[in-house]
Amino acid sequence: MSTSPDMLAPPQDQDEIWSVADHIARGLRVEHADVSSTLGAITDVAVATVPGTTCAGIIVADTDRHLTPMATAGSIPLELDELQRHLGHGPCLTAARKQVVVHIEDMAADHRWPEFRGGARGLGVESMLCLPLQIDDRCLGALSLYATSAGAFDQRAELVARVLATQAVLAMAESQRTAQLRAALDRRDVIGQAKGILMERHRITAEAAFARLSAASQSVNRKLVVVAEQLVATGVLPGPA
């Protein structure tokens, strides 16, 4: 069944929860983290930290809200992600699309996704916990935890998983921002190189070189950075001679 936040009992040992949160934060601290490394760290920490977890997987939403498997700890999540993609529904997709926690306590007794249930039990999965990953109103995807026994995820496990999901969202958002910044710097660098080539070749100013790049971009209907990359790679500026 899906579980709402107010159904969770408060932690009996606040020190233990803070200790778990600190352990999770340390586990997600990846030096020079790119998105792929961050997602891999999240699934590894999930298996190591959330009681009962046998394996874990993350599906990520792109700008068009398409959901794609991006990281797994163990082979089972990828197989079940592919099954859900084929069926068009399932617990992981529901958690991501509706931004709700999906808890399957006993796969044998859960009848919401019968075709998925058969595939999951065939791989030895008897319980699951799927948590949405969102920041503000933006859906980042879902983190799914798998166990080989029914009832593996009790209230403490769900609480730890929620702490992990919160930390994971922050780590994912930061790695995505870093990736966007790196891409922007790379684009600026290649455009600068292309301008330098034109300035040297035609003895023109930086402004005039940029104008030539812009004109070439419009004439061939390609992004300016693509035109710049072609010029840097081949020495040829696309467009009319």
Side-chain angles (χ1 to χ4, degrees), residues 66-234:
H66 294 141
L67 295 163
T68 305
M70 292 294 291
T72 63
S75 60
I76 289 175
L78 191 58
E79 293 187 55
L80 292 181
D81 284 338
E82 177 59 25
L83 175 60
Q84 290 176 90
R85 186 198 65 77
H86 175 73
L87 295 173
H89 56 76
C92 308
L93 296 181
T94 297
R97 289 169 176 167
K98 296 186 177 181
Q99 293 295 284
V100 296
V101 175
V102 176
H103 187 183
I104 301 177
E105 297 182 39
D106 184 352
M107 192 69 70
D110 193 285
H111 301 287
R112 286 173 289 181
W113 304 282
E115 293 172 294
F116 174 84
R117 179 185 64 195
R121 297 200 72 204
L123 293 172
V125 175
E126 296 297 342
S127 57
M128 286 181 63
L129 184 60
C130 307
L131 301 104
L133 300 172
Q134 66 176 3
I135 187 165
D136 298 325
D137 293 327
R138 183 162 63 99
C139 168
L140 300 183
L143 168 65
S144 298
L145 312 179
Y146 304 78
T148 54
S149 60
F153 301 112
D154 58 13
Q155 284 193 332
R156 181 180 180 278
E158 184 169 344
L159 181 60
V160 172
R162 285 176 181 269
V163 173
L164 170 59
T166 299
Q167 299 268 15
V169 164
L170 297 176
M172 288 173 65
E174 180 61 28
S175 65
Q176 289 177 350
R177 281 193 294 268
T178 300
Q180 291 167 357
L181 177 60
R182 287 173 179 163
L185 291 174
D186 288 344
R187 288 194 297 269
R188 188 173 70 175
D189 184 57
V190 75
I191 290 171
Q193 292 179 52
K195 285 168 56 180
I197 291 171
L198 294 177
M199 290 168 65
E200 175 67 22
R201 181 179 296 172
H202 300 290
R203 303 296 180 185
I204 56 178
T205 65
E207 291 78 6
F210 186 79
R212 290 201 178 200
L213 283 174
S214 297
S217 171
Q218 293 174 5
S219 69
V220 297
N221 195 28
R222 296 180 196 163
K223 291 182 178 180
L224 190 143
V225 67
V226 174
V227 170
E229 287 172 344
Q230 181 173 339
L231 175 59
V232 170
T234 67

Side-chain angles (χ1 to χ4, degrees), residues 2 12 15-16 18 45 52 57 66 88 128 147 154 157 176 225 232 237:
S2 297
Q12 295 181 348
D15 289 339
E16 179 190 12
W18 281 115
V45 170
H66 294 141
M128 286 181 63
D154 58 13
Q176 289 177 350
V225 67
V232 170
L237 183 65

Side-chain angles (χ1 to χ4, degrees), residues 1-21:
M1 59 179 291
S2 297
T3 307
S4 60
D6 57 2
M7 291 177 65
L8 288 177
Q12 295 181 348
D13 189 339
Q14 292 285 354
D15 289 339
E16 179 190 12
I17 296 302
W18 281 115
S19 176
V20 168

